[in-house]
Amino acid sequence: MILVGPADEFNRNLASKMSIPIIDLQRRVFPDGEVCPRIMIEREDQLRGEEVILSMRMPSKSCNPNSYLVEVLLAVRNLREHIRASNIQVIMPYFPYARQDNIFRPGEPLSAKYVANLLEEAGVETVYAVTVHLHRVGSFPGLFQRARGVNISGFPSLAEVLKRMDLVNPYIIAPDEEALVWAKEVAECLGTEDYVAFIKERDVETGEIRTTIKEIDVRGRDAVVVDDIVSTGGTMANAVRAVREMGARKVYSAFVHPVLVGNALDRIIGAGANEIIASDTLIWEGSKASVVDQLVEEIKGR
Ligand code: R5P
C-alpha cells in the first residue's frame, strides 16, 4: 500500500504511522483557476497494480470546495485510468457538499449523494471522511452505490485536547439541535453529564441565523461550545456570546472542520471565545487536534 498526497505534516504522519511510503502530489492551479493535481511518479508504471490511498485536504479560509472536489476527481481518475493503481481509497477528511443532503426547495440538487456518485464513477473503492454532516439522509455509507463510505468521528480528537486543559466544571453546549449528539459525545469523553442544545433557525434564502438560547447556570463554570463545521462563524458566535452573557468563566469554541470563511474567526473571538480548538481535517495552521490516529486505526483495522 502506498500513500499518495501532498507531503505535508498530516500526510507524512499518516504514512509513518501506517508504515507505508508516500508519493508527493503537487497541487498546481492555473491562472484561470483550473486545477492540475500531479502525482510525482518517476516512471509511468511506478504505481501499476499497487494499492493506493489518496489523501487530500481542503485548505481552510481560502477554501474552494469546487476546486478541491475536482482535484480529487482528477487524481482518482488518473490513478485508475492512466497510472493503473488498484483498490483506490481516498481520505477526504472534510467531505464537501454534505450539508446539501436534502432537496430543501424544488429544483435543488441532492449534492451529497451526487458527489459520492461522482467519486465512485471516477474509480474510488473506499472513501474515509470525518464527521460527515448528514442529518437528513441516513448514513454516509448509504450515499454510495458501489463504493464503501467510512465516517469517522472527529470529536474524540477535540475531547483529547480539552481533557488536557483543566476545565473548571465544564458545561457542553450545542449551538443547535443537530449538534446535540456531538455535545453528548464530548460530554461523555470529559466525564460530565451537563450538556444542552440551543435552537437555531436559518433563513434558507438569506442565510441569516437566529439562535434561541436555553437559560443554563454556567456562572463560574467553563463552557465548551461544540459543532461539526464553522463556516461563516455565525452559528458559533451566537452561542459563544450567549454563554458569555450568562456568566461563564471561560468559553471554549471546539469544532471539527475549520472551514472559516471570511472573518469567521474574528466573529467567534469577538463574541467572547477564550480559545479555539479545531481539528486538522482542513489545512489550517491553528488546528490543535489531529484526526490522524483515528484514521490510521480505522484503515489498519480493515
Ligand atoms: C450546520 O447545521 C452545521 O452543523 C454548522 O452549524 C454550520 O455549518 C455552521 O455554519 P456557519 O458557521 O456559517 O454558521
Side-chain angles (χ1 to χ4, degrees):
M1 191 183 275
I2 295 177
L3 190 129
V4 170
D8 55 17
E9 198 188 332
F10 181 93
N11 278 338
R12 284 201 312 270
N13 209 358
L14 201 57
S16 141
K17 289 189 168 171
M18 290 181 63
S19 310
I20 59 173
I22 179 168
I23 291 189
D24 189 21
L25 179 148
Q26 285 187 358
R27 308 176 93 156
R28 187 163 178 205
V29 182
F30 291 108
D32 62 356
E34 287 184 357
V35 291
C36 181
R38 179 176 171 211
I39 297 164
M40 301 303 285
I41 44 175
E42 284 160 16
R43 297 185 325 274
E44 287 290 322
D45 64 350
Q46 193 175 334
L47 290 175
R48 191 152 301 162
E50 294 281 357
E51 208 174 327
V52 160
I53 298 192
L54 173 72
S55 172
M56 289 180 78
R57 291 180 301 153
M58 186 167 97
S60 162
K61 291 180 182 164
S62 60
C63 60
N64 181 333
N66 306 321
S67 301
Y68 172 59
L69 183 59
V70 174
E71 277 182 310
V72 174
L73 289 170
L74 291 176
V76 170
R77 186 71 189 229
N78 190 17
L79 281 165
R80 191 194 78 186
E81 197 166 307
H82 188 71
I83 295 177
R84 293 184 18 218
S86 81
N87 187 17
I88 302 162
Q89 307 182 49
V90 173
I91 297 173
M92 295 175 83
Y94 174 69
F95 193 80
Y97 288 94
R99 280 175 291 178
Q100 183 72 19
D101 60 348
N102 192 19
I103 298 168
F104 297 97
R105 293 175 300 174
E108 287 183 351
L110 188 50
S111 308
K113 183 164 176 32
Y114 301 158
V115 164
N117 298 156
L118 285 170
L119 288 161
E120 292 181 302
E121 281 155 21
V124 165
E125 305 215 1
T126 305
V127 180
Y128 296 97
V130 178
T131 305
V132 183
H133 184 96
L134 299 172
H135 289 288
R136 287 148 289 259
V137 292
S139 70
F140 187 51
L143 289 181
F144 298 88
Q145 282 163 347
R146 296 182 304 274
R148 203 162 55 96
V150 182
N151 188 9
I152 298 160
S153 175
F155 287 96
S157 72
L158 300 180
E160 277 312 307
V161 176
L162 288 163
K163 267 188 207 164
R164 295 195 294 266
M165 292 187 142
D166 296 327
L167 302 179
V168 174
N169 204 3
Y171 209 126
I172 317 302
I173 288 107
D176 58 30
E177 285 165 313
E178 287 180 345
L180 184 63
V181 54
W182 302 316
K184 181 170 186 274
E185 192 178 340
V186 172
E188 278 167 5
C189 291
L190 296 182
T192 171
E193 289 178 359
D194 291 338
Y195 61 93
V196 71
F198 292 162
I199 296 164
K200 177 180 82 179
E201 285 162 89
R202 191 191 286 268
D203 186 311
V204 287
E205 297 288 342
T206 63
E208 197 190 326
I209 296 160
R210 240 192 52 218
T211 303
T212 309
I213 59 160
K214 283 191 188 143
E215 287 297 334
I216 47 172
D217 191 0
V218 280
R219 283 169 303 172
R221 300 180 67 169
D222 286 345
V224 185
V225 185
V226 300
D227 206 353
D228 60 341
I229 303 169
V230 166
S231 179
T232 64
T235 305
M236 180 59 75
N238 280 3
V240 165
R241 187 172 303 107
V243 281
R244 170 63 71 206
E245 284 167 4
M246 283 190 271
R249 190 185 84 99
K250 280 189 174 178
V251 185
Y252 296 83
S253 162
F255 45 94
V256 176
H257 304 297
V259 173
L260 303 177
V261 175
N263 63 349
L265 215 49
D266 293 340
R267 287 178 84 178
I268 299 169
I269 291 164
N274 294 86
E275 198 153 342
I276 309 271
I277 295 123
S279 90
D280 53 359
T281 54
L282 286 97
I283 303 170
W284 181 46
E285 66 287 354
S287 296
K288 291 184 180 138
S290 180
V291 295
V292 165
D293 284 348
Q294 274 145 295
L295 281 165
V296 171
E297 205 176 298
E298 184 65 43
I299 298 166
K300 275 186 163 174
R302 303 230 161 209

